[in-house]
Amino acid sequence: MNELYELVKHHAGLYYDEDSPEISDAEYDALVRELRQLEADYPQYARKDSPTQTVGGEVSSLFAKVEHSTPMLSLDNVFTPDELENFFSRNDAEGFVCEMKIDGLAVSLIYEDGIFVRGATRGNGRVGEDVTENLMLVDAVPKTLNDAPSGRVEVRGEVLMTWERFNAVNAAREAKGEKLFANPRNAAAGTLRQSAKNNHVISERGLDIFLYYLVDAEKFGVTTQSGALSWLAEHGLPVQTAYKVCDDIESVNEFVEKWHEERYNLGYVTDGVVVKVNDLTRWPEIGATSHAPRWAVAYKYPPEEARTRITDIVISVGRTGVLTPVAILEPVRLAGTQVSRAGLHNADEVARKDIRKGDIVNVRKAAEIIPEVVSVDKEARTGNEEVFAMPERCPACDSEIVKLPNETAYRCPNRASCPAQLTESLKYFASRDGMNIKGIGKSLAKHLTASGKIHKLSDIYTLTLDDFVEALSKDKVRTKSAENILAELEASKSRTLANLITALGITEVGKNTAELLTEHFGNIDALMNASEEDLAGIEGVGEVTARYVHEFFRNDDNRAMIEDFRAMGFRMGEAKIEAVSSDGGLAGKTFVFTGALETMTRDEAGDRVKALGGRVSSAVSKKTDYVVAGDKAGSKLKKAESLGVKTLTEAEFLEMTAT
Ligand code: IVH
């Protein structure tokens, strides 16, 4: 039991606190279930601090549902001044309030007698998720109101992450080899919608909030939206400063115009202006559609574009050798950040848009951080522009580039020793889904590869303290010391086989496929020796992936590398875990086995029960549902009979659990 306590605690910590589980949810649940069972059977040994008392099956349904008092509506969007004109002609009101439209996550906060009691996301507008615990960890959310209004107050607004926090969070993730957040909105949502058990992660991310809506404002003697914003601010709730009461259409247009550029100085993402009828006593009469009020509208700014010159087109070589053209730009400010590169996807895309070195282009930020080239100003051409051609040799290792007939991609075939591929592979190897070695990000991976001491992935485990000290001295984003990294490497040797298979970076094989392969083969030798047909026959694998996996293990260097890992003490096999379903028909049913079974061991029989959602106990009690009696069943069978517990023969049990 003590061993299980430690194991469950360890894995719960990885899952909830560090966001980096090492075992599957099913494996974790199986450990917890085993511990619970032992605690039920031997309550005298159950510890009060047992992880079964604090963590549980919250893995998938993290949040309780809450119904909103009044629906949290969306807004209708308009994109041109003409469309905005329509809104004015519908609402010939005296005054409007213009506010910035914040690109965050809508939330509702409830205060009782001035004390924060509940927070919820918008959800589907009618029912949201209860994120009270998480919002408690956000400093920007006031936990008490100034001048505490008595009774219930509901306010609504937007949770967001500033650019400054976003850049810091992503820099830290990059250094740890973790996946970057695509934009501040994703980062804010990802932070708010995770288990509150990750309390330090949530508070350290430093979310912000702005409120813009006071529910039932008239109850507080408030009759205008501008009055509501003042009311919110007076009670200590954060309100944006960039808002204005506008008496006419002209001044609304001026506001829209003024903030088109100036919004980039606000430090957080805004994507438009919300125009609201200021007199909120008129809102009920103006009304709403099923999804948006008619008394407000969102004017959305067009995605920001910037004009600049392509000074060069370079090639980036990815982990699997795919060559991607990248435009190097004369640095230009775009949507709040300085950009100097734009992804060009592939050679076909460059040809289709006729993008040339030296061209003047318009660049735009899509949903992702990396900008893209929207259009080329062909009028501005001088004749000195250079048409792009994919190189014939790899810029990193000089191997001849190949293009497979059925692929758009050009590849460097030198998987074994191309330094660019090695850097990317190493970064991937160390990533969370791989061996989860914190501290080895892209930058350090590059320095390590450049040192010439790494020729294959397993070489990383042969480096010395001095090797890391030297590489780290060149790494500007280092977050770990050489000693820490050595400890991380050592710890990584006990990761699961699925981690190792993922970390190998076989084309098409990510975490999910690696788990399928592990489940199917159970150990690396069976996988290495599997035929292409065997592999393709596994549900969820497919022919293409099967070919890549097969090819990978036919390669002598790769096989030698697996032997390196084996010699270093890596896990090369897994105990087979049956698919676990919480309700396979036996949910809540407890079984006791007694005597010898003919067709299987008692452990196997127990696994069958667990796979169907049931529980196995070693002692018979009134709570036991079934006792399965094998050959030479003794006292437990007698006890079952005396307690009136249903008994089954092996054949009856097999029939009951046949799937
Ligand atoms: S007022 C009844 N004001 O934009 C609707 N919404 O695209 C009240 N948003 O769901 C919304 N900034 O989450 C309002 N200053 C602002 C806003 C704002 C951002 C969000 C809000 C809304 C979404 C619609």
Side-chain angles (χ1 to χ4, degrees), residues 73 75 99-102 106 122 158 212 240 274 276 293:
L73 296 180
L75 290 169
E99 297 167 19
M100 296 314 293
K101 181 161 162 28
I102 304 158
R122 187 168 79 157
E158 208 84 356
Y212 46 67
Q240 339 172 30
V274 184
K276 303 176 181 174

Side-chain angles (χ1 to χ4, degrees), residues 58-263:
E58 304 99 322
V59 176
S60 55
S61 54
L62 277 177
F63 303 104
K65 305 268 174 277
V66 279
E67 200 166 323
H68 297 301
S69 59
T70 52
M72 288 180 77
L73 296 180
S74 179
L75 290 169
D76 279 334
N77 293 325
V78 296
F79 299 92
T80 62
D82 275 355
E83 290 173 327
L84 192 54
E85 190 67 46
N86 266 338
F87 170 74
F88 294 126
S89 56
R90 269 197 283 122
N91 295 296
D92 53 348
E94 289 292 285
F96 300 96
V97 174
C98 292
E99 297 167 19
M100 296 314 293
K101 181 161 162 28
I102 304 158
D103 198 11
L105 192 74
V107 291
S108 136
L109 309 180
I110 291 176
Y111 291 83
E112 297 275 4
D113 293 332
I115 295 167
F116 175 57
V117 293
R118 204 198 73 194
T121 61
R122 187 168 79 157
N124 64 12
R126 271 155 247 295
V127 178
E129 295 154 319
D130 186 336
V131 287
T132 313
E133 269 188 90
N134 297 26
L135 287 169
M136 285 285 183
L137 300 164
V138 176
D139 281 346
V141 173
K143 308 303 175 298
T144 56
L145 294 183
N146 295 343
D147 211 356
S150 63
R152 180 189 166 99
V153 174
E154 179 174 358
V155 296
R156 293 176 179 176
E158 208 84 356
V159 167
L160 64 127
M161 191 180 282
T162 61
W163 277 112
E164 196 184 340
R165 292 303 313 145
F166 172 75
N167 291 332
V169 166
N170 259 359
R173 288 174 81 85
E174 159 118 68
K176 284 197 227 156
E178 293 175 0
K179 205 167 164 248
L180 299 188
F181 285 119
N183 53 49
R185 209 205 86 84
N186 278 342
T191 303
L192 195 61
R193 298 190 61 260
Q194 64 179 295
S195 165
K197 302 239 162 52
N198 283 340
N199 47 25
H200 62 271
V201 176
I202 298 175
S203 47
E204 277 162 21
R205 294 254 176 94
L207 292 176
D208 259 292
I209 190 166
F210 285 121
L211 288 311
Y212 46 67
Y213 190 77
L214 174 61
V215 178
D216 292 332
E218 286 173 81
K219 227 170 62 182
F220 307 98
V222 172
T223 56
T224 59
Q225 170 64 8
S226 53
L229 293 171
S230 306
W231 190 98
L232 294 169
E234 277 159 23
H235 288 86
L237 291 157
V239 169
Q240 339 172 30
T241 45
Y243 75 86
K244 189 169 182 250
V245 180
C246 297
D247 291 331
D248 50 32
I249 302 169
E250 284 67 43
S251 68
V252 170
N253 285 332
E254 256 166 45
F255 184 92
V256 166
E257 207 35 58
K258 169 180 150 78
W259 286 99
H260 193 158
E261 289 297 323
E262 277 184 34
R263 66 200 170 111

Side-chain angles (χ1 to χ4, degrees), residues 480-541:
K480 293 239 161 185
S481 70
E483 271 166 14
N484 279 340
I485 292 177
L486 282 182
E488 285 276 339
L489 281 166
E490 203 46 46
S492 74
K493 292 179 182 173
S494 55
R495 303 280 187 255
T496 64
L497 178 58
N499 282 107
L500 179 60
I501 296 172
T502 310
L504 294 173
I506 305 167
T507 312
E508 296 271 333
V509 179
K511 180 173 173 246
N512 290 337
T513 307
E515 277 168 5
L516 283 180
L517 295 173
T518 307
E519 213 168 280
H520 186 88
F521 293 105
N523 65 70
I524 194 91
D525 297 287
L527 170 62
M528 282 207 281
N529 298 324
S531 69
E532 202 174 319
E533 294 74 52
D534 283 349
L535 290 158
I538 302 170
E539 200 177 318
V541 171

